[in-house]
Amino acid sequence: MRKTKRVKVLGWRWRRNELRRHSDAVEAWIVLATWAFAMAAGVVAGVAGAQAVALSQARSSAERRPGTAVLLDGAPSRVREVATGMYDDHVKAQVRWTDARGTVRIATTDVQAGTAVGSTVPVWTDGHGRLVGAPVSPAEATARAVVAGTGIALTGGLFVLVGGGLVRLRVERRATDRWGEEWARTGERWGPRTG
């Protein structure tokens, strides 16, 4: 048996021909509008998301203040992680510092491995005097904003594409139902059926 080759004609829904139905043109417009809106919505959502993340990073960095603390415990030398087998140059140890209000505080933070008791270590505090991590570098803040913006853009565009696909599916089903009704009416005019 000979295999039939299927030929795809680009833009057939846009061309005028006797076989094109109104629903074909509607589907073509839905696909075009969906893609255009998905691209625009993705870009707008991505830029807005990236700006929000960048603003949050800048606000977080602005609230952090550098300071020094005194190491209360001796920091052990390099610690080997059981899961990876790699050595870590930073270990947890207790430190004491005085916040901006003059209150003496004690907490646990990351320090360089092998640091002696009584040594001063650099720390970062927030507006309430609590220990926090060091602010991210400008390059890392930019990378985070770009990654977040890209993810938000892709997600926003995907939502629009799914919505457009559902609308197109609904139009296609209605067209198929109408075609079936028309075919049933036309079949009755052909006379009695055989077989």
Side-chain angles (χ1 to χ4, degrees):
M1 176 176 237
R2 222 161 126 186
K3 197 171 189 180
T4 314
K5 186 176 180 185
R6 187 173 178 189
V7 178
K8 283 195 166 209
V9 178
L10 292 176
W12 70 270
R13 286 186 169 103
W14 299 99
R15 296 181 184 171
R16 291 203 176 274
N17 67 51
E18 297 298 320
L19 298 177
R20 187 186 78 171
R21 299 169 294 179
H22 176 70
S23 63
D24 294 332
V26 170
E27 278 187 61
W29 280 108
I30 288 171
V31 169
L32 180 66
T34 298
W35 277 99
F37 187 62
M39 297 297 272
V43 168
V44 169
V47 168
Q51 287 176 345
V53 169
L55 182 64
S56 172
Q57 294 279 337
R59 190 178 303 127
S60 175
S61 293
E63 291 174 353
R64 295 170 191 237
R65 303 280 178 250
T68 57
V70 177
L71 188 64
L72 298 178
D73 298 333
S77 58
R78 297 187 328 168
V79 176
R80 184 176 180 174
E81 288 189 29
V82 177
T84 61
M86 299 184 71
Y87 288 98
D88 194 0
D89 289 336
H90 286 86
V91 294
K92 298 270 187 202
Q94 267 198 336
V95 295
R96 179 185 67 230
W97 76 100
T98 305
D99 65 13
R101 296 180 184 158
T103 306
V104 175
R105 295 178 177 247
I106 297 175
T108 302
T109 188
D110 285 337
V111 296
Q112 188 73 27
T115 307
V117 176
S119 300
T120 57
V121 293
V123 293
W124 289 87
T125 59
D126 63 7
H128 302 290
R130 294 180 300 233
L131 286 183
V132 292
V136 296
S137 68
E140 188 177 347
T142 301
R144 287 181 181 183
V146 167
V147 168
T150 303
I152 292 168
L154 291 173
T155 303
L158 184 63
F159 275 124
V160 172
L161 288 175
V162 167
L166 292 173
V167 170
R168 181 175 173 254
L169 183 63
R170 178 74 178 144
V171 168
E172 189 175 324
R173 283 187 180 169
R174 285 184 63 197
T176 302
D177 291 344
R178 285 183 184 162
W179 180 77
E181 292 168 5
E182 290 174 14
W183 183 253
R185 283 193 305 265
T186 304
E188 290 174 3
R189 286 188 263 153
W190 283 0
R193 296 182 184 177
T194 59

Coordinates of all heavy atoms in Angstrom, one line a residue, residues 8-17 20:
K8 N 2.1 20.4 4.2 CA 1.7 21.5 5.1 C 1.9 22.8 4.3 O 2.9 23.0 3.7 CB 2.5 21.6 6.3 CG 2.1 20.6 7.4 CD 2.7 21.0 8.7 CE 2.0 20.2 9.8 NZ 2.0 20.8 11.0
V9 N 0.8 23.6 4.3 CA 0.9 24.9 3.6 C 0.8 26.0 4.6 O -0.1 26.1 5.4 CB -0.3 25.0 2.6 CG1 -0.3 26.4 1.9 CG2 -0.3 23.9 1.6
L10 N 1.9 26.7 4.7 CA 2.0 27.8 5.7 C 0.9 28.9 5.4 O 0.8 29.3 4.3 CB 3.4 28.4 5.8 CG 4.4 27.5 6.3 CD1 5.8 28.2 6.3 CD2 4.1 27.1 7.8
G11 N 0.3 29.4 6.4 CA -0.7 30.5 6.3 C -1.9 30.1 5.6 O -2.6 31.0 5.0
W12 N -2.3 28.8 5.5 CA -3.5 28.5 4.7 C -4.8 29.1 5.3 O -5.7 29.3 4.6 CB -3.6 27.0 4.6 CG -4.0 26.3 5.9 CD1 -3.1 25.8 6.8 CD2 -5.3 26.0 6.4 NE1 -3.8 25.2 7.9 CE2 -5.1 25.3 7.6 CE3 -6.6 26.2 5.9 CZ2 -6.2 24.9 8.4 CZ3 -7.6 25.8 6.7 CH2 -7.4 25.2 7.9
R13 N -4.8 29.3 6.6 CA -6.0 29.9 7.2 C -6.2 31.4 6.8 O -7.2 31.9 7.0 CB -5.9 29.8 8.7 CG -6.1 28.5 9.3 CD -6.1 28.5 10.8 NE -6.6 27.2 11.3 CZ -5.8 26.3 11.8 NH1 -4.5 26.4 11.9 NH2 -6.3 25.2 12.3
W14 N -5.1 32.0 6.3 CA -5.2 33.4 5.9 C -5.5 33.6 4.5 O -6.0 34.7 4.1 CB -3.8 34.1 6.2 CG -3.4 34.1 7.6 CD1 -2.6 33.3 8.2 CD2 -3.9 35.0 8.6 NE1 -2.5 33.5 9.5 CE2 -3.3 34.6 9.8 CE3 -4.8 36.0 8.7 CZ2 -3.5 35.2 11.0 CZ3 -5.0 36.7 9.9 CH2 -4.4 36.3 11.0
R15 N -5.3 32.6 3.7 CA -5.6 32.7 2.2 C -7.1 32.5 1.9 O -7.8 31.7 2.6 CB -4.8 31.6 1.5 CG -3.3 31.8 1.6 CD -2.6 30.8 0.9 NE -1.1 30.9 1.1 CZ -0.2 30.1 0.7 NH1 -0.6 29.0 0.1 NH2 1.0 30.3 0.9
R16 N -7.5 33.1 0.9 CA -8.9 33.0 0.4 C -9.0 31.7 -0.4 O -8.2 31.5 -1.4 CB -9.3 34.1 -0.5 CG -9.4 35.4 0.3 CD -10.4 36.3 -0.4 NE -10.6 37.6 0.3 CZ -11.5 37.7 1.3 NH1 -12.3 36.7 1.6 NH2 -11.7 38.8 1.9
N17 N -9.9 30.8 0.0 CA -10.2 29.6 -0.8 C -11.6 29.1 -0.5 O -12.2 29.5 0.5 CB -9.1 28.6 -0.7 CG -9.1 27.9 0.7 OD1 -10.1 27.5 1.2 ND2 -7.9 27.9 1.3
R20 N -12.0 27.2 3.1 CA -11.7 27.9 4.3 C -13.0 28.3 5.0 O -13.8 28.9 4.4 CB -10.8 29.1 4.1 CG -10.4 29.7 5.4 CD -9.7 31.0 5.2 NE -10.6 32.0 4.9 CZ -10.4 33.3 4.8 NH1 -9.2 33.7 5.0 NH2 -11.3 34.2 4.6

